[in-house]
């Protein structure tokens, strides 16, 4: 074999060991209401349906699918060396419970006109408290229940008040008694801590990184302030029945970049169906 031929063989062999596609793995259910943790090379570029995502220094990234997400999504990962992997994701549908509640007081169904201006101010405050660019990876932890008790409301259920369909239930309700402790389900930064919101009553936002947020509602006491870093299991306040609530309970909601997702899917031991009505959760 002459020298040129030998060089050609060596070059072909070196090219053969290069990855043809970017390295990427996904952990979590590909279904409506789920957050999925991705892993790729540090420095890679990632998009979901054309939107650029954050990739942490360890190569972790979050993707999420809201309650009504369609059947498909496209994930594209480009490695620092230029290799690209395109994944066409099939998003599984879920069956949602329908709850009919009759005899609900009108004040819990339709806000009074004099409160509309307040509601708009609070909507703006909530939107401003959810930055999308926090380059942290606390969302990749296995979450814990923020309070303990029976589940009285599940994610995605459709509530019908006095015969009128309302918005879906975007969270999980834990029927804990007033004064029961609420803890951080994972590490994060407090972005909002308001004791008297019209809908939510006592409300706390916890930023878990890359647009993943916990929302704790109807709290009777808040023990944290915006900008404070909290650790998983740290007490952040107490259960109450504040805001538009008919009794004491914790409403735990979660968001990914504005998409409403099921917090119960983030907790260890919960199946891909999510937590079910009447189950007891949390506690020792």
């Amino acid at each position: 074999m002459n020298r040129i031929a030998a060089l050609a063989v060596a070059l072909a062999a070196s090219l053969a060991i290069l990855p043809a596609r970017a390295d990427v793995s996904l952990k979590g259910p590909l279904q409506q209401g789920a957050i999925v943790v991705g892993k790729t090379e540090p420095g890679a570029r990632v998009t979901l349906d054309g939107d650029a995502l954050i990739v942490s220094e360890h190569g972790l990234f979050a993707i999420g699918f809201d309650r009504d997400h369609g059947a498909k999504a496209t994930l594209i990962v480009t490695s620092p060396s230029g290799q690209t992997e395109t994944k066409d994701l099939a998003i599984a549908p879920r069956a949602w419970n329908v709850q009919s509640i009759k005899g609900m007081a009108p004040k819990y169904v339709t806000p009074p006109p004099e409160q509309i201006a307040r509601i708009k101010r609070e909507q703006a405050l909530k939107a401003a408290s959810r930055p999308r660019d926090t380059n942290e990876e606390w969302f990749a932890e296995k979450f814990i229940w923020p309070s303990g008790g029976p589940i009285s409301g599940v994610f995605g259920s459709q509530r019908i008040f006095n015969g009128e369909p309302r918005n879906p239930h975007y969270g999980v309700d834990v029927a804990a008694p007033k004064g029961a402790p609420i803890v951080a389900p994972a590490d994060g930064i407090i972005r909002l801590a308001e004791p008297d919101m019209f809908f939510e009553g006592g409300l706390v936002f916890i930023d878990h990184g890359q647009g993943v947020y916990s929302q704790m509602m109807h709290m009777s006491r808040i023990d944290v302030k915006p900008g404070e870093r909290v650790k998983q299991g740290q007490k952040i306040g107490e259960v109450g029945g504040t805001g538009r609530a008919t009794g004491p309970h914790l409403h735990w909601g979660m968001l990914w970049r504005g998409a409403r997702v099921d917090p119960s899917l983030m907790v260890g031991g919960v199946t891909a169906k999510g937590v079910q009505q009447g189950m007891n959760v949390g506690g020792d």
Side-chain angles (χ1 to χ4, degrees):
M1 183 182 295
N2 61 36
R3 183 178 179 185
I4 294 177
L7 287 173
V9 171
L11 177 60
S14 65
L15 290 174
I17 66 174
L18 289 175
R21 298 181 297 181
D23 183 33
V24 58
S25 62
L26 301 176
K27 183 179 180 181
L30 294 173
Q31 64 180 37
Q32 292 174 330
I35 286 178
V36 175
V37 178
K39 180 73 168 65
T40 187
E41 296 177 66
R45 300 188 305 276
V46 180
T47 65
L48 181 69
D49 292 331
D51 291 333
L53 307 184
I54 297 170
V55 179
S56 77
E57 63 179 348
H58 299 113
L60 296 175
F61 61 92
I63 59 176
F65 311 104
D66 66 23
R67 177 189 185 272
D68 300 313
H69 196 284
K72 297 179 180 179
T74 300
L75 182 74
I76 300 177
V77 179
T78 304
S79 72
S81 56
Q83 283 79 30
T84 297
E85 168 78 343
T86 298
K87 286 183 174 292
D88 294 319
L89 307 179
I91 311 305
R94 290 171 66 185
W96 308 115
N97 295 330
V98 176
Q99 300 174 336
S100 182
I101 302 175
K102 298 180 179 180
M104 180 72 70
K107 68 177 182 177
Y108 294 114
V109 178
T110 303
E114 64 271 18
Q115 295 293 341
I116 297 302
R118 175 188 175 183
I119 291 169
K120 289 182 178 179
R121 288 195 303 271
E122 293 179 352
Q123 287 173 337
L125 175 63
K126 288 181 285 187
S129 301
R130 293 194 294 260
R132 293 172 54 174
D133 59 352
T134 309
N135 190 16
E136 301 288 353
E137 52 191 39
W138 299 308
F139 62 86
E141 301 179 33
K142 191 57 79 172
F143 283 45
I144 64 173
W145 286 101
S147 194
I151 295 296
S152 57
V154 297
F155 176 85
S157 60
Q158 184 78 38
R159 289 180 170 179
I160 301 174
F161 291 148
N162 301 338
E164 298 182 9
R166 311 304 292 181
N167 289 332
H169 186 238
Y170 290 123
V172 174
D173 291 342
V174 181
K178 181 179 179 180
I182 300 171
V183 303
D187 293 3
I189 300 173
I190 303 299
R191 296 298 186 187
L192 184 71
E194 289 289 332
D196 185 26
M197 303 289 276
F198 179 77
F199 288 110
E200 302 90 350
L203 173 65
V204 167
F205 286 174
I206 308 176
D207 179 356
H208 302 297
Q210 298 191 21
V212 179
Y213 275 74
S214 283
Q215 302 178 112
M216 306 299 175
M217 304 181 189
H218 310 306
M219 299 171 67
S220 62
R221 176 187 172 97
I222 295 175
D223 296 327
V224 289
K225 297 179 180 179
E228 182 177 345
R229 289 180 177 259
V230 293
K231 302 295 290 183
Q232 185 179 73
Q234 177 181 335
K235 183 183 176 185
I236 61 171
E238 296 178 358
V239 172
T242 56
R244 282 161 62 88
T246 57
H249 70 282
L250 170 65
H251 175 100
W252 177 22
M254 285 196 74
L255 295 169
W256 174 76
R257 290 189 157 200
R260 308 280 187 164
V261 294
D262 185 350
S264 74
L265 296 178
M266 304 291 286
V267 181
V270 176
T271 71
K273 293 182 179 180
V275 73
Q276 302 299 301
Q277 194 98 4
M279 292 177 59
N280 278 285
V281 300
D284 297 327

